């Protein structure tokens, strides 16, 4: 079945260093990929969504590129900020026949310190 | 525009007790999802509806869990006889017709003692 793998459970960085959170997936179809961010005691919020035309989505300084050849959608940011500390989930949606469920990875906790 | 609303925000039960969670999706969203998020894990789909119809409930423990959306708007998720393993945050999400983006509510944090 479809799955999403996030290899790092915890990433700890110093402010100003680059961020890269890994995400790989397995899917029968050509899915949409998403990054959600979840702050403590809050709901997951959509951060980025893959495009069908290979454009690179960007939001709040974060970007991710869908590489179908390697089934990856890694999240990157050039310079980490303290406010980036949160849980980050990679998820996929097959979107077959309209609305579809999201399959989430296990999540990566990002902690940024000064 | 109001987001997805859920109530209650917190619930604490003894094993064997029943509990209901309520969700009001964003206006105009025809699809509604219920996810279970155990502590330190990603959300896992329990059930989802398009209007009032159940599209997928294959991950819903049918012996104790039930979910309804009778008028295609609000939805209720019920646990008949809670177990300690049900301790988790229950998230509701909704999306536009044919939309791939889901919008999440704040969740209900359930603790079963």
């Amino acid at each position: 079945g479809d799955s999403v793998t996030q290899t790092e459970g915890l990433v700890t960085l110093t402010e100003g260093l680059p961020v890269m959170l890994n995400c790989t997936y397995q899917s029968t179809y050509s899915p949409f990929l998403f990054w959600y961010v979840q702050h403590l005691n809050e709901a997951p919020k959509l951060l980025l969504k893959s495009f069908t035309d290979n454009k690179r989505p960007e939001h709040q300084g974060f970007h991710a590129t869908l590489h179908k050849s390697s089934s990856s959608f890694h999240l990157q940011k050039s310079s980490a900020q303290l406010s980036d500390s949160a849980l980050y989930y990679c998820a996929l949606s097959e979107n077959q026949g309209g609305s579809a469920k999201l399959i989430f990875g296990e999540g990566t906790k990002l902690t940024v310190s000064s | 525009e109001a987001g997805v609303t859920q109530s209650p925000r917190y619930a604490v039960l003894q094993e064997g007790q029943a509990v209901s969670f309520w969700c009001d999706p964003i206006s105009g969203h025809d699809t509604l999802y219920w996810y279970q998020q155990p502590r330190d894990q990603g959300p896992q789909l329990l059930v989802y509806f398009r209007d009032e119809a159940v599209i997928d409930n294959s991950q819903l423990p049918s012996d104790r869990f039930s979910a309804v959306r009778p008028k295609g708007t609000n939805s209720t998720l019920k646990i008949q006889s809670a177990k300690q393993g049900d301790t988790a945050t229950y998230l509701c999400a909704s999306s536009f017709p044919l939309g791939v983006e889901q919008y999440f509510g704040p969740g209900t944090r359930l603790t079963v003692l």
Side-chain angles (χ1 to χ4, degrees):
Chain A
D2 292 357
S3 64
V4 175
T5 302
Q6 294 179 248
T7 53
E8 311 107 340
L10 176 66
V11 172
T12 303
L13 290 173
T14 302
E15 191 179 17
L17 290 180
V19 179
M20 180 162 173
L21 306 184
N22 292 321
C23 173
T24 57
Y25 64 92
Q26 287 187 317
S27 178
T28 307
Y29 306 97
S30 293
F32 286 101
L33 271 293
F34 303 84
W35 277 100
Y36 279 83
V37 57
Q38 187 175 29
H39 288 94
L40 190 62
N41 297 324
E42 294 184 9
K45 293 179 183 176
L46 180 64
L47 183 61
L48 292 173
K49 181 187 78 172
S50 64
F51 287 102
T52 54
D53 58 0
N54 295 322
K55 287 182 183 176
R56 190 180 80 168
E58 295 192 30
H59 184 62
Q60 297 180 346
F62 286 94
H63 60 89
T65 302
L66 180 62
H67 291 288
K68 294 181 181 179
S69 59
S70 58
S71 297
S72 66
F73 191 59
H74 305 320
L75 182 68
Q76 295 179 278
K77 187 176 184 181
S78 60
S79 177
Q81 298 177 295
L82 295 176
S83 58
D84 294 332
S85 294
L87 268 169
Y88 291 80
Y89 290 102
C90 184
L92 73 78
S93 172
E94 292 177 349
N95 196 33
Q96 294 298 308
S99 307
K101 64 184 180 184
L102 287 171
I103 296 171
F104 285 84
E106 290 297 308
T108 298
K109 183 177 181 179
L110 175 65
T111 301
V112 182
S113 59
S114 57
Chain B
E1 179 183 301
V4 177
T5 55
Q6 293 185 244
S7 65
R9 293 295 312 277
Y10 303 92
V12 180
L13 308 173
Q14 298 290 333
E15 273 200 322
Q17 289 186 305
V19 63
S20 292
F21 309 132
W22 180 83
C23 174
D24 187 4
I26 293 172
S27 178
H29 284 194
D30 68 342
T31 309
L32 185 149
Y33 307 80
W34 284 103
Y35 290 86
Q36 181 190 60
Q37 185 178 23
R39 185 178 174 83
D40 296 330
Q41 295 184 33
Q44 298 156 16
L45 182 75
L46 290 173
V47 59
Y48 80 96
F49 299 84
R50 184 174 301 131
D51 297 318
E52 67 277 6
V54 174
I55 304 301
D56 183 352
N57 62 358
S58 59
Q59 301 305 308
L60 194 68
S62 58
D63 58 332
R64 297 184 300 108
F65 285 64
S66 62
V68 294
R69 194 185 184 200
K71 297 183 179 179
T73 52
N74 303 335
S75 176
T76 303
L77 176 69
K78 183 175 183 178
I79 305 176
Q80 195 66 32
S81 178
K83 298 182 178 181
Q84 287 187 353
D86 299 331
T87 293
T89 296
Y90 291 83
L91 295 165
C92 178
S94 67
S95 66
F96 284 110
L98 303 181
V100 294
E101 295 181 26
Q102 296 181 24
Y103 298 82
F104 284 83
T108 296
R109 183 178 293 181
L110 173 67
T111 301
V112 184
L113 303 174

